[in-house]
Amino acid sequence: MTRLTGTETRPPGPTGPGFGSRHPWLLRRVLLFTNFFLIIAAVYHLKPASRSLFLSALGADALPYVWIATATALALTIGLYHRLIAHYSRIHVVLGTCALVIAVLIGFYPFLDGSGFAAAFAFYVFVDMVSVILVEQFWSLTNTIFSTREGKRWYGFIATGGLVGGVAGGMASSAWISRAGLETMDLLPIAAAIIGLIVGLTLLMGRYGLYREKPGVGNHEGPSTGDWRAILRHRYLALIALILLLAQIAEPIIEYQFMKVVEATITDRDARTAYLGAFFGVLSAVAIGINLLITPLIHRWLGALGGLFAQPIAVLFGSLWYLSQVTLQAGAFLKIADRGLSYSINRASKELLYVPIAPLLMFRAKAWIDMFGYRLFKVAGSLLILLLTQWLPWPLEAAHLAWVVVAICLAWMAVLVRLGRRYRGILERAEAQPEGHP
């Protein structure tokens, strides 16, 4: 791998006639769209398989334990990842990650047919880690090559690539089982092949200089070390971490409620895998509609913070419906309100919060907040589920957990109000900074 020091600025590669030399900006956006499409398509082949195998082997009540295990696994790997992005080319780190994922998927394939406890548990942890790492690596690279103004214009389009990939991957994974006669574990080599395409596309973009970093904004308080202590001292990053904390406490509760309904309603493993694949496809289709019709308008008139309010508001109303009737339809709506908005307007809006930050600080901060923090905060939600449903003398039903989600949504929106003030101040300082300033 190519060793680097400080921030990375890749020189432009050759862009000969016929390969984007006339419109490199358009080619870059199309290829980023395609890259994100492939990432989510691969993930949505793996998620239905991992969820269905886990429910067959352990059941929904064990989900909080596997979420805690995922956070622990990320804690053990985040230090290594942090050092890699500080010293080596971002593109080479991405390529190495993809190669490792392919190798592990091939290794898992022969051990999942029996749906044993250990294999199903380990596979769930691995898939959750892959879904976080691949997506965050993609956005980290993307955030270093766009300005705030360009991000507002193009992030909705680029994020739509992932949503289209979700529709394609979810529907394809369902069709492989329900129509082509494949079994749940057969989705693993298909996902490995898709990740192989990601490797080729990333090499192509690096070869032609389409991953070139913008200058960063070096005007934030506190040192730019990017570790968790610096994040706590950096009030702006601390507020971003806080909204993620609240979202991630709510997310496992919603996931638990949804999977409890799925487990009770659909008992056959492959039928459950097919349903979950189709559900993820529908979820992505809803998110596409939001991204195409709503996200650009919200960003134009209300900015990034306006987009961040959509998810807690929708989840609040979805939780009230789930309280009134615990059905598969209510659980699916609540899940879509949470993840559908998280994958669309919330994702595009949240990434805009990182754009004004210097590239190296942003890479490191995202590694802690969006990768490790993403799962560490989910541990809080997992422990809360265990406390309320299993450890208390009078455990609560899944439906009653919706009251906790309602309270979280109210606190979430209050933090967004404070974050908005900081974000506007950062933008004013970024716009006042001379172009090209480090």
Side-chain angles (χ1 to χ4, degrees):
M1 286 191 278
T2 304
R3 190 172 182 84
L4 300 175
T5 58
T7 57
E8 173 197 10
T9 302
R10 295 186 60 84
T15 53
F19 198 90
S21 57
R22 294 184 178 180
H23 302 288
W25 59 272
L26 178 60
L27 177 65
R28 175 182 291 174
R29 288 150 181 77
V30 171
L31 291 181
L32 286 171
F33 178 99
T34 305
N35 197 337
F36 201 31
F37 169 90
L38 293 173
I39 290 171
I40 303 302
V43 168
Y44 274 23
H45 276 78
L46 297 174
K47 276 193 171 185
S50 66
R51 272 63 178 163
S52 183
L53 288 166
F54 189 89
L55 290 180
S56 296
L58 295 100
D61 287 330
L63 283 170
Y65 296 102
V66 78
W67 294 332
I68 294 171
T70 301
T72 303
L74 279 172
L76 296 175
T77 58
I78 191 66
L80 173 62
Y81 180 80
H82 191 179
R83 289 191 291 272
L84 288 174
I85 63 175
H87 296 290
Y88 296 98
S89 163
R90 276 58 142 173
I91 291 181
H92 283 107
V93 172
V94 170
L95 293 173
T97 301
C98 290
L100 179 61
V101 171
I102 292 171
V104 174
L105 287 176
I106 294 173
F108 261 120
Y109 181 70
F111 297 103
L112 291 175
D113 192 19
S115 297
F117 169 90
F121 193 96
F123 183 59
Y124 194 109
V125 171
F126 174 73
V127 170
D128 265 20
M129 291 180 67
V130 168
S131 66
V132 174
I133 292 172
L134 291 184
V135 170
E136 294 309 324
Q137 284 183 338
F138 170 81
W139 282 110
S140 292
L141 277 174
T142 302
N143 288 341
T144 63
I145 61 178
F146 285 105
S147 66
T148 300
R149 182 175 300 176
E150 291 172 328
K152 287 182 178 180
R153 183 179 180 186
W154 289 105
Y155 273 19
F157 170 76
I158 293 171
T160 301
L163 299 176
V164 176
V167 174
M171 293 302 181
S173 64
S174 179
W176 290 125
I177 295 172
S178 60
R179 299 183 183 180
L182 300 183
E183 297 183 2
T184 296
M185 69 287 297
D186 295 326
L187 299 178
L188 275 67
I190 297 174
I194 296 173
I195 295 173
L197 295 177
I198 296 170
V199 171
L201 183 59
T202 302
L203 285 170
L204 183 68
M205 295 185 70
R207 173 72 176 84
Y208 285 92
L210 298 178
Y211 278 125
R212 283 184 290 168
E213 292 184 356
K214 62 172 176 59
V217 178
N219 61 353
H220 307 298
E221 65 269 28
S224 297
T225 59
D227 63 19
W228 65 270
R229 299 175 190 87
I231 291 170
L232 290 178
R233 291 192 296 268
H234 196 302
R235 294 182 182 178
Y236 179 66
L237 291 176
L239 286 171
I240 294 176
L242 183 55
I243 62 170
L244 182 64
L245 167 64
L246 293 168
Q248 285 308 105
I249 292 176
E251 192 273 334
I253 298 175
I254 294 168
E255 174 81 0
Y256 177 79
Q257 292 171 317
F258 174 63
M259 296 304 289
K260 285 287 287 184
V261 174
V262 171
E263 180 185 33
T265 307
I266 308 172
T267 57
D268 179 73
R269 185 187 70 179
D270 290 337
R272 188 189 302 123
T273 303
Y275 169 80
L276 289 173
F279 171 80
F280 286 132
V282 171
L283 185 153
S284 294
V286 171
I288 288 174
I290 294 171
N291 240 27
L292 294 179
L293 302 177
I294 298 176
T295 299
L297 296 177
I298 294 293
H299 282 175
R300 177 176 297 179
W301 298 109
L302 299 177
L305 267 297
L308 291 171
F309 271 96
Q311 185 180 353
I313 292 173
V315 168
L316 188 151
F317 284 104
S319 296
L320 294 176
W321 181 14
Y322 192 86
L323 274 168
S324 66
Q325 49 180 286
V326 184
T327 63
L328 187 59
Q329 292 75 20
F333 177 86
L334 178 58
K335 177 71 173 176
I336 290 174
D338 180 47
R339 293 297 91 189
L341 288 170
S342 177
Y343 297 156
S344 56
I345 189 170
N346 185 276
R347 162 65 72 174
S349 301
K350 181 169 67 70
E351 295 305 324
L352 286 172
L353 300 180
Y354 288 108
V355 170
I357 302 175
L360 183 59
L361 172 60
M362 182 271 295
F363 257 82
R364 291 174 170 179
K366 281 177 68 63
W368 284 101
I369 296 175
D370 288 357
M371 289 173 57
F372 177 55
Y374 182 89
R375 293 305 172 186
L376 177 64
F377 299 156
K378 194 170 183 175
V379 169
S382 302
L383 292 174
L384 188 59
I385 293 171
L386 292 172
L387 174 65
L388 297 177
T389 64
Q390 299 183 33
W391 295 346
L392 287 178
W394 301 279
L396 298 179
E397 298 293 332
H400 297 151
L401 295 176
W403 287 116
V404 179
V405 179
V406 169
I408 291 171
C409 289
L410 296 175
W412 186 350
M413 288 185 281
V415 174
L416 285 174
V417 172
R418 293 194 62 185
L419 179 61
R421 301 191 189 104
R422 286 274 171 181
Y423 180 62
R424 285 188 289 270
I426 292 289
L427 287 183
E428 290 173 0
R429 295 166 70 182
E431 291 172 359
Q433 178 174 281
E435 185 175 355
H437 191 276

